[in-house]
């Protein structure tokens, strides 16, 4: 099957990418989220990433759970198939979809309630399986859609609008992803597009389970300055370990940085990640020290962001299962049905 | 003292063992040897939820006449478990036989007056022959098989042949096993009056039939039917289906050159994830299934509803058992009928298939994959532990070489390119089934967003009532269309005209057929209908309408099939008389005969009574 790209008519001044698409071709329908919701900025970052990477939109499948965050796939990539599944179970649906067709790009979008509360199990297991995907949690420390209850990432001691106090310890999904063997782990902030877009692009190019925890303030229910998921708090405590300048293979590395401050990671598809180090001793290829650094900074009240860990050739679930190159959904009778002769042998062996 | 039972090729042998003692292979050898002698037989394992130590039984029905359901009663008991001794002895028919290990003498009070007791010093024989305690234990099973072979006058060559096949590749094990067999056989032939009243004679009545479990056959059906994704979570009695799928795939689904797999199997973290993966794969155009049992179905409820409303193909094998987890996990039941038929939240109904044996399990497995694609909905294959885990003697499996997979209404690139109108939930030809597209098909056409019911015919978001109702009505039309594709019921008319009918399904078939023959000899005639799928075809309700009273025979407490009939067909429940067997063992012919005869004695008036013997 061939995919002939047919650009639609556009305003002549809109920039087009290598596929002849404009930014608009990556947009979805109008968002119905609250004005100022962090989630909308993440949608914008996804749109920009896909536009800049010049990805054919129809080769991306976007899947989500339930929540304001999980609604967002309607608001980007209108030419992609999407699946708003059930609360906390996006990972299993995405895993199945990925098994059916290894040739598409899988983008999973979830919330902190969706992934850390009801869906913690599925979050953990799809990461440890190494499903080839980008898994974005739009983390606001609260249930937005059901109006302000605590999620499992809510700060201990935080107060809900109606006065309830959260006495449970928060879950750090980044720490979990690292422990569970994710081969790409990042954290960012919906208010920092400069940081977020390259991370999403790198995650898409990454083969294996790529997890990005994006702090995404809920302006309706959890944006008070004490909340570690508020705009003010993150701006004041953002401890970025590096700045990723995502670049494709054909671009050269410009060497206008002091020695030791630049690191290059070559991904499996040949694309290069150029990391400008902000924390001088931070090594994003060392899982154990990444975990330690995170814990230390977290204890100091800082929010560590950036590309926290990457392992270039970790592999993915299809590699582990050793499945054929062709998508399983493209196989027909000839490849799948053993036929009567094999059945005769089976019958004979059971007499 | 009653007369000793006399029968050739028609009796029941039951082995009472301790789980984990290695008896399974000797017992299986016995059943297969009977088949090798050309005599039809079936076997049923009754086992505990335990790895070692608890009681387990193996019942072999031998029937030259071809009655392979459970009959009820035991003619020869091989009692190897002191713990269950009393109940085992009690089960023997008057005039029946008991074979036991007589190494340690037992008081007379432990036996019955009206049975024939055969003591064989099995432990002593083994202790003399072997030094290693493990060998003593393992070979004891083969030794009692040897004794039995002499008592029943079995063809020893048939057993030796099977031992040879069983240990092919591990040839050093053949000789010791054959030796142990003869230890027992020779001892019996010199010390006992052989044969006894129960005897086996060579026949040629097995023909081409094969001896398989339903789980193995269903898994093979999934391979033939083109399933490429299997996601599952271990639960008895379904695990062996997924495990069999894995081993069939290793054999049949490896690329000849690259050795790479044309399948993906995931042992998920739970049943929620299993069904989620199946739905994701089905959404993306791969044929996918899961295998589970009642507790797993409970966990899958939310997803099953989503798949129903979002119209995603999925196949679920439900190997029914007693529930809950600490219910009767290793015993058989047909008790998930209602929970499967209406699984999930909101107005949902699902397609169910009811295979009667492993042969139909194979066929229905492949059919279910076609049906799920055609109808774009979850399809349940309702097996049970009896079919799934016991070896049944069934017709050989066959596959039509011209059969093509029915992938249903999938709009492909060419259709989209040619400008075909695409509305994901648009009923273009009034069968209720819309077209779908698969992700990645066309750069600019056919993409849509999948969600529950907040949508219009073009999959655009809406919370309005009218499109909701229209969509729900279309789903009903689709359910109606399902009848066109699902296996139709099988009707059988009694030899004489009758006002009475019986409805049954699934693993009840064999016991039912035998019961019908027995009832007929007593002058009781019943027309029967075997239900093979839900939604019910019109024939089902025609059948109900044309009989005054109908027995609905099922293996659960709450007469679930009867409820389903009354819900779906607006049938007067009083006309449907439940016959229910649910102690966890497979239903028996004798049970059905007695229940029908008793009920008829109650419900019928004088004219019928005359007909009774
Ligand atoms: C099984 C189930 N339980 C509860 C709900 C109700 N519910 C919808 S969204 C939501 C919480 C979403 O929180 P989060 O994932 O953090 O998303 P946010 O709205 O904050 O972006 C809940 C509890 C549901 N849809 N399904
Ligand atoms: S409730 Fe919160 S999370 Fe939901 S849209 Fe509004 S701001 Fe965003
Ligand atoms: Mg949230």
């Amino acid at each position: 099957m061939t995919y002939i790209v047919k650009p639609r008519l556009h305003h002549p001044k809109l920039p087009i990418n290598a596929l002849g698409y404009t930014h608009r071709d990556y947009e979805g329908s109008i968002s119905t989220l609250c004005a100022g919701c962090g989630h909308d900025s993440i949608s914008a970052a996804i749109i920009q990433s896909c536009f800049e990477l010049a990805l054919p939109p129809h080769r991306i499948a976007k899947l989500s759970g339930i929540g304001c965050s999980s609604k967002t796939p309607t608001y980007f990539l209108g030419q992609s198939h999407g699946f708003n599944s059930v609360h906390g179970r996006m990972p299993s649906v995405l895993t199945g979809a990925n098994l059916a067709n290894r040739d598409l790009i899988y983008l999973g979008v979830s919330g902190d309630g969706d992934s850390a509360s009801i869906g913690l199990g599925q979050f953990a297991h799809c990461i440890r399986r190494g499903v080839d995907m980008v898994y974005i949690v739009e983390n606001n420390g609260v249930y937005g859609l059901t109006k302000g209850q605590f999620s499992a990432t809510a700060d201990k001691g935080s107060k809900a609008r109606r006065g309830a106090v959260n006495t449970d310890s928060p879950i750090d999904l980044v720490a979990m992803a690292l422990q569970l063997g994710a081969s790409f782990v990042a954290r960012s902030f919906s208010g920092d597009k400069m940081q977020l877009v390259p991370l999403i692009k790198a995650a898409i190019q990454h083969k294996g389970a790529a997890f990005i925890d994006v702090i995404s303030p809920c302006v309706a229910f959890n944006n008070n300055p004490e909340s570690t998921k508020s705009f003010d708090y993150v701006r004041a405590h953002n401890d970025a370990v590096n700045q990723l300048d995502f670049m494709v293979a054909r671009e050269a590395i410009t060497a206008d940085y002091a020695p030791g401050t630049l690191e290059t990671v070559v991904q499996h598809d040949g694309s290069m990640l150029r990391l400008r180090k902000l924390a001088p001793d931070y090594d994003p290829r060392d899982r154990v020290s990444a975990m330690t650094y995170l814990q230390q900074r977290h204890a100091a009240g800082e929010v560590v962001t950036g590309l926290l860990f990457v392992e270039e050739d970790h592999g993915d679930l299809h590699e582990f299962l050793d499945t054929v190159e062709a998508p399983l959904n493209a196989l027909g009778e000839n490849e799948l049905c053993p036929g009567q002769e094999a059945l005769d042998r089976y019958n004979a062996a059971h007499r | 003292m009653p007369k000793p039972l006399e029968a050739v090729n028609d009796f029941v042998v039951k082995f009472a063992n301790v789980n984990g003692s290695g008896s399974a292979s000797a017992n299986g050898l016995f059943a297969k040897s009977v088949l090798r002698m050309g005599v039809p037989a079936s076997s049923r394992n009754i086992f505990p939820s335990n790895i070692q130590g608890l009681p387990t039984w193996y019942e072999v029905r031998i029937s030259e006449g071809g009655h392979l359901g459970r009959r009820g009663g035991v003619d020869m008991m091989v009692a190897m478990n002191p713990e269950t001794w009393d109940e085992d002895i009690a089960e023997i028919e008057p005039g029946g036989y008991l074979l036991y290990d007589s190494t340690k003498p037992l008081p007379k009070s432990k036996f019955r007056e009206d049975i024939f007791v055969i003591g064989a010093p099995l432990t002593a024989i083994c202790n003399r022959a072997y030094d290693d305690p493990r060998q003593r234990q393992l070979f004891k099973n083969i030794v009692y098989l040897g004794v039995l072979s002499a008592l029943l006058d079995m063809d020893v060559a048939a057993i030796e042949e099977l031992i040879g096949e069983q240990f092919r590749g591990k040839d050093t094990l053949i000789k010791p096993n054959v030796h142990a067999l003869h230890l027992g056989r020779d001892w019996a032939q010199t010390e006992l009056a052989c044969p006894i009243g129960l005897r086996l004679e060579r026949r040629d009545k097995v023909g081409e039939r094969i001896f398989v479990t339903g789980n193995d056959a269903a898994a093979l059906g999934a391979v033939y039917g083109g399933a490429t994704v299997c996601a599952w979570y271990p639960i008895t009695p379904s695990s062996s289906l997924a495990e069999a799928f894995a081993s069939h795939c290793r054999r049949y689904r490896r690329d000849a050159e690259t050795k790479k797999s044309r399948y993906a199997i995931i042992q998920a973290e739970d049943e929620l994830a299993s069904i989620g993966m199946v739905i994701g794969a089905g959404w993306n155009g791969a044929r996918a299934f899961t295998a589970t049992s009642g507790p797993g179905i409970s966990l899958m409820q939310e997803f099953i509803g989503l798949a129903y409303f979002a119209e995603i193909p999925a196949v679920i094998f439900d190997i029914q058992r007693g529930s809950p987890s600490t219910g009767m996990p290793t015993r058989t039941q047909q008790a998930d009928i209602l929970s499967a038929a209406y699984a999930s939240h909101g107005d949902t109904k699902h397609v169910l298939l009811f295979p009667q044996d492993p042969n139909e399990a194979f066929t229905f497995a492949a059919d279910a994959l076609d049906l799920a694609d055609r109808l774009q909905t979850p399809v349940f294959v309702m097996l049970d532990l009896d079919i799934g885990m016991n070896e049944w003697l069934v017709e050989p499996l066959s596959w039509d070489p011209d059969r093509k997979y029915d992938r249903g209404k999938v709009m492909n690139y060419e259709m989209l390119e040619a400008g075909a109108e695409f509305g994901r939930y648009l009923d273009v030809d009034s069968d209720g089934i819309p077209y779908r597209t698969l992700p990645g098909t066309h750069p600019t056409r056919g993409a849509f967003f999948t969600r529950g019911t907040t949508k219009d015919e073009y999959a655009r978001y809406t919370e309005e009532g009218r499109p909701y109702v229209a969509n729900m009505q279309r789903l009903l039309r689709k359910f109606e269309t399902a009848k066109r594709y699902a296996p139709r019921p099988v009707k059988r008319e009694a030899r004489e005209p009758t006002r009475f009918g019986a409805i049954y399904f699934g693993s009840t078939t064999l016991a039912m057929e035998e019961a019908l023959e027995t009832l007929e000899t007593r002058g009781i005639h019943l027309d029967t209908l075997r239900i093979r799928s839900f939604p019910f075809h019109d024939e089902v309700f025609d059948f109900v309408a044309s009989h005054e009273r109908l027995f609905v025979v099922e293996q659960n407490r709450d007469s679930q099939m009867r409820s389903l009939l009354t819900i779906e067909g607006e049938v007067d429940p009083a006309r449907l008389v439940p016959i229910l067997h649910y102690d966890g063992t497979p239903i028996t012919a004798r049970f059905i005969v007695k229940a029908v005869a008793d009920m008829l004695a109650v419900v019928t008036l004088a004219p019928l009574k005359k007909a009774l013997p």
Side-chain angles (χ1 to χ4, degrees):
Chain A
M1 202 186 287
T2 51
Y3 303 99
I4 305 151
V5 181
K6 284 200 188 151
R8 290 177 284 176
L9 284 178
H10 288 300
H11 194 279
K13 280 193 193 132
L14 282 179
I16 55 168
N17 64 14
L19 272 186
Y21 283 131
T22 71
H23 199 269
R24 280 215 187 127
D25 295 311
Y26 294 86
E27 291 170 4
S29 49
I30 308 287
S31 168
T32 58
L33 302 184
C34 305
C37 174
H39 300 348
D40 279 335
S41 312
I42 302 172
S43 297
I46 291 171
I47 292 169
Q48 190 181 329
S49 306
C50 295
F51 168 74
E52 288 177 10
L53 286 175
L55 299 174
H58 73 296
R59 305 299 290 170
I60 305 169
K62 45 184 187 172
L63 298 101
S64 62
I66 300 292
C68 295
S69 35
S70 293
K71 280 181 166 209
T72 61
T74 317
Y75 315 137
F76 56 79
L77 299 176
Q79 296 299 330
S80 305
H81 274 69
F83 196 159
N84 206 168
S85 67
V86 291
H87 196 19
R89 321 291 174 200
M90 173 277 286
S92 62
V93 181
L94 189 151
T95 303
N98 180 297
L99 290 174
N101 184 356
R102 60 189 299 176
D103 284 353
L104 303 184
I105 292 165
Y106 293 91
L107 178 56
V109 174
S110 176
D112 44 308
D114 204 55
S115 280
S117 301
I118 191 169
L120 188 63
Q122 294 215 342
F123 160 80
H125 289 282
C126 82
I127 293 220
R128 58 181 272 273
R129 283 191 188 102
V131 180
D132 187 16
M133 63 179 171
V134 180
Y135 190 137
I136 295 177
V137 167
E138 309 192 344
N139 188 352
N140 53 17
V142 75
Y143 289 0
L145 194 58
T146 51
K147 301 188 187 249
Q149 301 84 357
F150 303 119
S151 81
T153 67
D155 303 324
K156 189 166 180 162
S158 63
K159 243 197 199 144
R161 258 203 329 186
R162 291 174 182 231
V165 176
N166 178 34
T167 58
D168 302 343
S169 300
I171 289 172
D172 181 356
L173 289 172
V174 156
M176 288 199 68
L178 282 169
Q179 196 280 325
L180 290 162
S183 46
F184 182 108
V185 181
R187 178 150 48 211
S188 189
F189 174 42
S190 65
D192 187 354
K193 220 180 193 181
M194 289 280 288
Q195 184 191 45
L196 181 56
V197 170
L199 285 174
I200 294 176
K201 286 163 75 176
I204 290 175
Q205 301 292 89
H206 180 78
K207 183 164 194 182
F211 175 69
I212 313 179
D213 179 29
V214 188
I215 296 168
S216 175
C218 168
V219 292
F221 300 110
N222 197 25
N223 194 29
N224 50 308
E226 316 85 75
S227 162
T228 59
K229 309 290 186 295
S230 67
F231 282 111
D232 290 350
Y233 189 93
V234 181
R235 286 207 181 101
H237 298 273
N238 192 340
D239 174 16
V241 291
N242 47 34
Q243 174 67 44
L244 172 63
D245 301 331
F246 178 81
M247 39 192 295
V248 281
R250 57 184 178 277
E251 284 175 41
I253 301 166
T254 47
D256 49 355
Y257 296 97
T261 62
L262 193 74
E263 183 154 12
T264 305
V265 178
V266 183
Q267 303 233 79
H268 86 285
D269 64 347
S271 63
M272 282 195 251
L273 309 181
R274 188 178 59 186
L275 283 170
R276 260 180 293 135
K277 289 188 171 193
L278 301 178
D281 298 327
Y282 191 84
D283 178 2
R285 298 185 202 198
D286 182 344
R287 196 184 286 273
V288 176
S289 63
M291 289 163 88
T292 313
Y293 184 86
L294 267 155
Q295 298 297 333
Q296 285 166 345
R297 303 306 296 158
H298 180 75
E302 298 298 304
V303 181
V304 180
T305 62
L307 176 55
L308 305 176
F309 178 74
V310 62
E311 186 182 337
E312 298 94 302
D313 10 77
H314 179 85
D316 82 319
L317 181 59
H318 278 281
E319 263 177 67
F320 306 151
L321 294 178
D322 202 21
T323 47
V324 285
E325 294 301 323
L328 293 178
N329 72 354
L331 305 178
E333 296 86 2
N334 292 343
E335 294 90 5
L336 300 178
C337 184
Q340 181 63 43
E341 236 170 79
L343 209 48
D344 290 340
R345 283 197 297 277
Y346 177 86
N347 286 331
H350 288 82
R351 285 192 180 114
Chain B
M1 187 74 195
K3 278 207 333 224
L5 289 181
E6 301 261 348
V8 177
N9 295 347
D10 185 11
F11 50 93
V12 175
V13 180
K14 188 166 178 174
F15 299 84
N17 300 98
V18 178
N19 205 22
S21 66
S23 57
S25 95
N27 298 349
L29 213 49
F30 172 74
K32 285 187 192 126
S33 307
V34 176
L35 295 174
R36 276 297 160 93
M37 291 178 65
V39 179
S42 62
S43 62
R44 285 177 182 80
N45 225 326
I46 297 158
F47 62 100
S49 181
N50 160 268
I51 304 303
Q52 204 168 46
L54 288 185
T56 171
W57 294 269
Y58 187 75
E59 195 177 290
V60 182
R61 175 79 196 272
I62 296 157
S63 168
E64 185 175 334
H67 291 309
L68 297 177
R70 262 185 97 212
R71 183 196 70 185
V74 175
D75 304 322
M76 157 66 85
M77 178 69 76
V78 182
M80 302 298 296
N81 186 357
E83 210 186 306
T84 58
W85 178 270
D86 291 341
E87 57 178 288
D88 293 336
I89 301 303
E91 218 184 331
I92 303 171
E93 294 287 301
Y97 304 83
L98 165 69
L99 172 62
Y100 79 108
D101 182 357
S102 61
T103 306
K104 265 194 224 142
L106 285 173
K108 209 161 170 258
S109 61
K110 289 301 243 177
F111 301 97
R112 261 168 57 188
E113 290 291 325
D114 60 343
I115 56 170
F116 294 87
V117 178
I118 304 161
L122 301 170
T123 306
I125 294 174
C126 288
N127 287 357
R128 268 200 305 275
Y130 305 101
D131 296 328
D132 175 13
R134 181 72 193 148
Q135 280 192 338
R136 284 176 174 175
Q137 170 59 43
L138 278 181
F139 285 123
K140 190 153 84 180
N141 302 312
I142 301 292
V143 172
Y144 73 59
L145 179 61
V147 174
L148 202 57
S149 77
L151 292 172
L152 303 178
D153 200 17
M154 291 171 76
D155 185 349
V156 74
I159 312 177
E160 287 176 0
E161 180 182 288
L162 276 165
I163 291 177
E165 287 172 26
Q166 192 160 324
F167 296 108
R168 190 173 296 147
K170 294 180 247 168
D171 291 4
T172 49
L173 291 174
I174 297 175
K175 241 181 156 177
N177 274 284
V178 171
H179 178 70
L181 180 76
H182 282 281
L183 272 182
R185 189 173 168 92
D186 295 349
W187 179 88
Q189 274 169 344
T190 39
E191 303 290 329
L192 303 171
C194 295
I196 55 170
L198 307 177
R199 281 179 301 116
L200 282 160
E201 283 176 14
R202 251 193 197 278
R203 291 285 184 276
D204 191 11
K205 299 238 160 129
V206 172
E208 293 292 291
R209 280 183 281 181
I210 60 171
F211 200 52
V212 282
T213 68
N215 282 352
D216 202 74
L220 193 63
V223 171
Y224 274 71
T228 50
V229 175
C230 163
W232 67 294
Y233 188 78
I235 180 170
T236 305
S238 73
S239 305
S240 59
L241 198 162
E243 284 160 352
F245 183 72
S247 72
H248 293 323
C249 282
R250 280 193 292 273
R251 172 167 307 163
Y252 299 120
R253 287 283 192 76
R254 289 258 171 89
D255 187 283
E257 276 165 39
T258 63
K259 302 281 174 262
K260 285 182 177 291
S261 304
R262 296 196 182 114
Y263 64 93
I265 300 171
I266 303 281
Q267 185 190 313
E269 60 270 29
D270 56 27
E271 286 87 348
L272 284 78
S274 323
I275 188 68
M277 290 175 197
V278 168
I279 287 168
W283 175 74
N284 211 0
R287 294 197 148 183
F289 75 91
T290 185
T292 187
S293 192
I297 299 286
S298 305
L299 285 183
M300 293 177 185
Q301 296 284 314
E302 187 185 15
F303 257 133
I304 292 170
L306 174 73
Y308 173 81
F309 290 114
E311 299 182 63
I312 295 164
V315 171
I316 302 164
F317 292 93
D318 179 2
I319 325 303
Q320 299 169 90
R321 60 175 224 187
S323 282
S325 294
T326 50
M328 303 258 271
T330 59
R331 306 299 153 92
T332 195
Q333 274 187 359
Q334 299 175 318
D336 297 342
I337 312 294
L338 285 173
S339 64
Y342 301 120
S344 203
H345 38 41
D347 292 318
T348 54
K349 310 190 195 210
H350 308 288
V351 177
L352 316 181
L353 306 183
F354 301 102
Q356 64 170 350
D357 65 12
N359 181 291
E360 236 175 34
F362 171 79
T363 315
F364 284 10
D367 292 350
L369 291 158
D370 273 357
L371 276 169
D373 265 353
R374 167 57 48 185
L375 300 165
Q376 300 176 20
T377 199
V379 174
F380 289 79
V381 185
M382 305 297 286
L383 292 157
D384 61 20
L385 183 141
D386 187 17
I387 300 177
M389 291 190 71
N390 287 318
E391 285 171 312
W392 293 48
L393 187 66
V394 295
E395 291 305 315
L397 308 182
S398 67
W399 186 259
D400 173 3
D402 298 325
R403 179 166 171 170
K404 294 269 172 279
Y405 297 153
D406 178 4
R407 302 308 312 258
K409 293 183 184 171
V410 180
M411 219 174 251
N412 58 22
Y413 177 83
E414 288 71 25
M415 293 161 86
L416 290 165
E417 187 60 21
E421 186 192 16
F422 175 65
R424 173 64 183 99
Y425 300 104
L426 200 59
D427 188 5
V428 283
D429 42 18
S430 63
D431 61 0
I433 308 172
Y435 272 88
R436 61 178 182 139
T437 54
L438 302 181
T441 301
H442 192 283
T444 53
R445 294 176 192 161
F448 70 97
F449 201 79
T450 303
R451 51 170 78 82
T453 47
T454 44
K455 66 194 178 196
D456 67 7
E457 290 171 323
Y458 294 88
R460 291 174 301 219
Y461 190 87
T462 174
E463 296 181 11
E464 277 174 45
R466 214 155 5 128
Y468 176 84
V469 171
N471 185 56
M472 294 300 282
Q473 288 298 323
R474 183 181 54 75
L475 287 171
L476 272 187
R477 281 203 297 286
K478 186 168 91 164
F479 202 59
E480 200 51 38
T481 300
K483 296 179 189 171
R484 248 191 264 159
Y485 296 95
R488 310 194 85 87
V490 178
K491 207 168 114 177
R492 169 193 165 283
E493 274 182 16
R495 212 180 286 240
E496 288 179 21
T498 173
R499 296 177 284 142
F500 300 100
I503 292 176
Y504 63 97
F505 58 95
S507 64
T508 302
T509 303
L510 291 177
M512 189 72 202
E513 286 171 353
E514 182 176 1
L516 290 170
E517 266 188 37
T518 312
L519 287 165
E520 204 178 272
T521 61
R522 296 203 206 164
I524 299 173
H525 297 277
L526 300 177
D527 294 332
T528 61
L529 188 86
R530 176 164 74 89
I531 290 176
R532 298 203 299 164
S533 64
F534 176 73
F536 299 125
H537 293 84
D538 295 345
E539 291 105 291
V540 174
F541 298 111
D542 293 346
F543 184 79
V544 173
S546 57
H547 292 86
E548 205 175 288
R549 295 258 169 173
L550 298 106
F551 299 99
V552 185
V553 186
E554 39 189 326
Q555 301 185 50
N556 59 62
R557 184 196 69 180
D558 291 343
S559 26
Q560 299 189 17
M561 185 61 87
R562 177 175 171 272
S563 298
L564 201 57
L565 286 163
T566 55
I567 296 167
E568 296 289 325
E570 289 165 26
V571 179
D572 173 13
R575 306 222 332 267
L576 302 180
V577 184
I579 292 186
L580 306 169
H581 186 279
Y582 55 94
D583 68 359
T585 60
I587 194 167
T588 66
R590 286 182 181 176
F591 175 87
I592 300 172
V593 169
K594 182 168 184 320
V596 170
D598 288 355
M599 300 263 199
L600 280 180
V602 177
V603 299
T604 58
L605 304 166
L608 191 97
K609 272 196 177 149
K610 263 191 224 150
L612 290 167

